[in-house]
Amino acid sequence: MDFALTDDQQALKQLCHDFAAKEIAPHAGEWWEQEVFPSHVFTAMGELGLMGLLVPEEYGGTDVGAVAYVAAMEEIGAADQSVAAAWNAHITIASLPLLAFGTEEQKQRWLRPLAEGRRLGAFGLTEPEAGSDAAGIRTRAVRDGNEWVINGNKMFISNAGTDISLGVTILAITGQNEDCSKRYGSIFIPDGTAGYRKGEHLKKVGWHSLDTRELVFDDCRVPADHLIGEEGHGLRQFLDVLGTGRISVAALSLSLASAALAMALEYATQRQQFGRPISQFQAIQHKLADMATEVEAARWLVYRAAWLYDAGLPYAKEAAMAKLYASEVANRVVSEAVQVHGGYGFMREYPIARFYCDAKILEIGEGTNEIQRSVIARALGC
Ligand SMILES: Cc1cc2nc3c(=O)[nH]c(=O)nc-3n(C[C@H](O)[C@H](O)[C@H](O)COP(=O)(O)OP(=O)(O)OC[C@H]3O[C@@H](n4cnc5c(N)ncnc54)[C@H](O)[C@@H]3O)c2cc1C
């Protein structure tokens, strides 16, 4: 088994490392405190070819594959989780529905500007009354002549309210089958469409500079050709895309865990108590050893899920396992990293405090960890 990155993958990782060190890490604390979404960072990432990593070149992307994307995420996420969270949503759940199910015309019209990094993408599944239970959504799209008329609300949607947002792909109920079960469709709503309104930026525990809002659709009309994929298949399509999204959130979690470990290690070698660096105390050494071991285990679960994706092999169970484990490791490791920092770890001027606040959502977003456990149990035959 070869765990080494190829030269191209290594070069991409280095590019992301250099970009993050110069353009993200020095400013991330300020953006977080001021709850500012740094649009210019995404425009710059687009110019470097980083906004369409899973999209073929014919639609403006670079199509480097999931393993390379995970390697890149390790660098971007270690600099700032809010930027990395917006990037994660853009690369996977916002772009992949258009790639997998869009027509040629839709790909050129909407996927290309996303992949080239000229605009930012969003994906709207969650509603005030439906999160884990995706089939329980209430937003309706009714066909009226050559248009869809949409009414309903989406909750906690990332990336839809920035000055570079292109629009949002939503899941809506589009009708009813003979057995009374609901039919679903995915519909792209461009920014600026009449009847599409965005709520205020939501104040969060972490990911402060990620744009997160409620979206309201009030007799919002879009042309019939804004349907993505087949009418009636929308729920299946969204669940497929969420499978890939899990590899991405797992990578985001890995990036947080390894950044927290690095910060704890550095602090432990510098902080002196009782006349010596605290890294010389066995209690601290054992914490660091446990943290490093868990990060390493998470790393290979995440890369394995990405490798399966790239190889075109089934990856749903492994993606759920990677997301579940890496997000829990991220929370354990960052908590121990704060402990290693003592009281300073509780001060917001220390980046470790920001990472601590950013960690919890990793166990909730893109399928809670309870749902991941159910996905894994189903795959085991339960
Ligand atoms: C910062 C942020 C950004 C987000 N971005 C997006 C986005 O861009 N697009 C989008 O569509 N959504 C987004 N979300 C929504 C996110 O995906 C949901 O919050 C998540 O899926 C959980 O749904 P919920 O909040 O409604 O919780 P609920 O589904 O109400 O769950 C509440 C609790 O019940 C548990 N639970 C529910 N059902 C079961 C079950 N069957 N078995 C066991 N336990 C269960 C859950 O695990 C959880 O612990 C975002 C959320 C946040 C906080």
Side-chain angles (χ1 to χ4, degrees), residues 127 138-140 150-154 215-218:
E127 299 190 357
R138 297 180 182 179
T139 297
R140 286 188 177 273
I150 300 144
N151 281 286
N153 293 37
K154 295 289 171 184
L215 309 180
V216 181
F217 302 95
D218 188 7

Side-chain angles (χ1 to χ4, degrees), residues 141-349:
V142 176
R143 190 70 186 260
D144 180 22
N146 205 25
E147 290 181 323
W148 290 103
V149 186
I150 300 144
N151 281 286
N153 293 37
K154 295 289 171 184
M155 184 52 103
F156 305 143
I157 307 307
S158 309
N159 290 353
T162 77
D163 58 342
I164 53 169
S165 298
L166 180 70
V168 58
T169 303
I170 62 157
L171 183 71
I173 299 168
T174 46
Q176 193 168 303
N177 294 310
E178 277 177 7
D179 63 359
C180 292
S181 59
K182 295 176 204 157
R183 297 176 66 81
Y184 300 87
S186 302
I187 299 179
F188 184 78
I189 319 288
D191 220 43
T193 305
Y196 167 28
R197 204 159 34 80
K198 300 162 197 172
E200 291 298 304
H201 168 75
L202 294 168
K203 299 262 180 195
K204 306 185 286 296
V205 170
W207 286 2
H208 286 188
S209 31
L210 173 76
D211 180 80
T212 312
R213 294 169 197 267
E214 181 173 7
L215 309 180
V216 181
F217 302 95
D218 188 7
D219 280 336
C220 172
R221 286 176 176 266
V222 292
D225 67 2
H226 284 216
L227 181 77
I228 310 291
E230 280 183 64
E231 189 279 322
H233 291 232
L235 186 58
R236 182 70 265 145
Q237 291 175 196
F238 262 62
L239 295 178
D240 277 358
V241 168
L242 279 175
T244 318
R246 281 174 192 147
I247 299 176
S248 183
V249 176
L252 184 60
S253 305
L254 171 64
S255 71
L256 186 146
S258 57
L261 169 63
M263 284 181 238
L265 196 53
E266 188 185 354
Y267 188 82
T269 54
Q270 286 169 4
R271 174 70 172 171
Q272 302 251 343
Q273 288 293 282
F274 300 96
R276 63 176 98 153
I278 60 170
S279 62
Q280 289 183 12
F281 299 124
Q282 195 180 46
I284 299 293
Q285 290 174 351
H286 284 190
K287 273 190 203 305
L288 293 166
D290 286 346
M291 291 154 74
T293 305
E294 288 208 292
V295 170
E296 200 61 7
R299 175 168 288 117
W300 298 120
L301 268 184
V302 179
Y303 276 96
R304 161 109 173 119
W307 180 84
L308 288 170
Y309 175 89
D310 285 347
L313 295 167
Y315 65 91
K317 179 183 71 182
E318 289 76 7
M321 288 173 164
K323 193 272 177 181
L324 169 66
Y325 187 71
S327 62
E328 294 190 353
V329 165
N331 275 276
R332 280 197 294 274
V333 167
V334 79
S335 176
E336 286 294 65
V338 168
Q339 194 70 19
V340 169
H341 281 73
Y344 293 100
F346 203 61
M347 297 298 121
R348 294 217 303 253
E349 68 181 275

Side-chain angles (χ1 to χ4, degrees), residues 123-126 131-132 156-158 204 207 361 364 366 368 370:
F123 167 96
L125 168 62
T126 307
S132 304
F156 305 143
I157 307 307
S158 309
K204 306 185 286 296
W207 286 2
I361 180 62
I364 298 171
E366 292 193 37
T368 66
E370 289 76 13

